[in-house]
Amino acid sequence: MDPVAIIIPTYNSASLVELAVQSVLGQLRPGDELIVIDDGSSDSTADVLKPLLPRITYIRTENQGVAAARNLALGRTAAPLIAFLDADDQWLPGKLDLQRQLMEARPDVVFCFSDFRSLLDTGEIVPYCLKHWQADYGLTAAAWAQAAGEGQAYSSIAPLPEGIGDFPVHITDFFAPEVKAPCVNTSSTMVRREKAGEALHFDHKLTPYEDWMCYMNLARRGPGALLNTETVFRDDCHDRPRLTAVEKLVKASIRVQLLERLDTADRDRFKEILSERRGHKAAILLGLGRSKEARVELRQMRNAPASYRLMAALPGPLARALVQVRKAMKKGN
């Protein structure tokens, strides 16, 4: 079977990256590489990983972000299969063999991914979290089921590793569902490098959605495969401050950019989604009192809400005050 290069970017996550690395080491086969990119950590990451050398390749760089770290690692390996793992996640047993065997059995597949479970701040472990991701972006369970299809048993494609029960595998064109919602968790992904070509690249200008754009581009290269099982354990119990309005605007702006980067035919195909994302961005701009910028977005929408158009016609401070009143009224109902 083809060797795999596993890429782990890390930044000030010494205790977590050690767990991530340990979750991979027992799954490696001869010829595999485990590359840890230390993205300018100022903690004890180097000391924690030193005992694991030379079983792992450790590269330290100046802090440039996760996209640059992944791209750097991609340039340091010639492995035909690439897998990713974030420093605050861990692989479940059998993950690497499941995907390696599937990719060998189905050479047409460009990339494969799986579902995952998450540990929350409350201590609760939530299984099969992919559906929650999709729901947050408006991709309904029915729409997802239609896009993914019925699937086929993994055991009909490749032998199951010992101790792992059978599950469905959905092999299809994931471009449309990926445009609508981020369906691919990076830590669960394996990519066939030759078929991926230049699409296997993370654009740092699109942070925090650099991976979303990458998987949209990969889906354009050929079929993907969803392993309808959990192969990743995500640690989501870090203390994360509530997003500010400006941070929300950055995220909303990048979501618009993702669709604007599509070619003309695809932008027309997904014009309703682009319109919705512009509306979301306009609403945030109005809440910030930036009426002029909101008007620019609303003019490009297909059917901008009348209430948005009215507020955008007002001076910024008044528009912001009206947004706050609307929010207060919603909370009171």
Side-chain angles (χ1 to χ4, degrees):
M1 288 186 285
D2 285 337
V4 183
I6 299 94
I7 296 172
I8 304 179
T10 184
Y11 175 72
N12 285 346
S13 304
S15 59
L16 292 174
V17 75
E18 184 177 20
L19 292 173
V21 168
Q22 292 294 347
S23 77
V24 173
L25 287 176
Q27 302 192 39
L28 298 179
R29 299 287 179 260
D32 292 344
E33 304 172 72
L34 176 49
I35 305 172
V36 179
I37 303 295
D38 184 345
D39 189 36
S41 294
S42 58
D43 63 1
S44 59
T45 294
D47 294 333
V48 166
L49 295 179
K50 187 175 181 179
L52 300 176
L53 302 174
R55 297 175 68 192
I56 70 172
T57 298
Y58 173 75
I59 301 172
R60 180 175 172 82
T61 68
E62 294 183 3
N63 179 238
Q64 299 181 65
V66 65
R70 291 179 186 141
N71 291 335
L72 174 62
L74 286 169
R76 298 291 185 95
T77 179
L81 296 175
I82 306 292
F84 300 99
L85 178 60
D86 288 342
D88 52 356
D89 298 339
Q90 298 171 49
W91 281 354
L92 299 177
K95 189 267 188 192
L96 202 54
D97 279 348
L98 280 173
Q99 293 188 310
R100 193 201 310 261
Q101 290 177 174
L102 182 135
M103 297 293 269
E104 181 180 29
R106 289 294 303 261
D108 58 317
V109 169
V110 178
F111 66 101
C112 62
F113 63 105
S114 79
D115 215 318
F116 56 94
R117 69 183 67 155
S118 290
L119 174 64
L120 304 184
D121 290 332
T122 60
E124 178 187 8
I125 295 177
V126 181
Y128 290 92
C129 287
L130 187 57
K131 60 180 178 289
H132 300 302
W133 269 24
Q134 295 160 350
D136 287 344
Y137 289 84
L139 184 61
T140 65
W144 170 246
Q146 182 178 9
E150 292 186 3
Q152 61 187 109
Y154 180 95
S155 60
S156 70
I157 303 172
L160 282 161
E162 185 177 354
I164 295 180
D166 214 351
F167 55 86
V169 176
H170 308 266
I171 301 176
T172 189
D173 177 359
F174 281 102
F175 179 68
E178 186 66 16
V179 168
K180 295 174 183 176
C183 302
V184 182
N185 170 245
T186 299
S187 289
S188 77
T189 306
M190 180 178 286
V191 182
R192 194 185 309 277
R193 187 168 194 155
E194 183 179 7
K195 283 189 174 294
E198 62 186 15
L200 185 53
H201 176 80
F202 298 88
D203 189 341
H204 70 277
K205 294 179 181 179
L206 295 175
T207 300
Y209 294 124
E210 70 285 334
D211 50 354
W212 194 354
M213 189 76 225
C214 178
Y215 299 125
M216 285 169 56
N217 290 333
L218 287 174
R220 270 308 204 192
R221 296 287 177 137
L226 166 63
L227 284 67
N228 199 357
T229 188
E230 298 170 322
T231 68
V232 175
F233 180 78
R234 284 172 52 93
D235 183 351
D236 285 327
C237 62
H238 318 303
D239 292 330
R240 292 188 175 96
R242 196 177 181 129
L243 289 178
T244 66
V246 172
E247 289 169 332
K248 290 178 180 178
L249 177 59
V250 170
K251 288 194 170 188
S253 298
I254 293 174
R255 291 182 196 177
V256 170
Q257 288 181 47
L258 288 174
L259 285 178
E260 288 179 333
R261 289 193 177 198
L262 299 177
D263 59 35
T264 303
D266 283 328
R267 284 202 307 273
D268 187 63
R269 179 183 173 190
F270 298 107
K271 56 191 175 186
E272 295 296 339
I273 297 175
L274 178 54
S275 184
E276 289 174 7
R277 290 186 186 165
R278 289 194 187 282
H280 179 60
K281 181 180 177 181
I284 297 173
L285 286 166
L286 289 170
L288 290 168
R290 293 159 66 170
S291 300
K292 184 177 180 180
E293 294 169 72
R295 289 196 294 271
V296 172
E297 297 299 328
L298 294 172
R299 280 196 294 266
Q300 297 179 77
M301 290 180 64
R302 290 173 56 81
N303 294 295
S307 59
Y308 284 15
R309 293 198 302 268
L310 288 170
M311 284 190 289
L314 299 172
L318 184 54
R320 182 171 63 244
L322 282 176
V323 170
Q324 293 172 348
V325 169
R326 284 164 58 94
K327 287 182 179 179
M329 292 176 64
K330 284 184 178 180
K331 287 182 179 180
N333 290 338

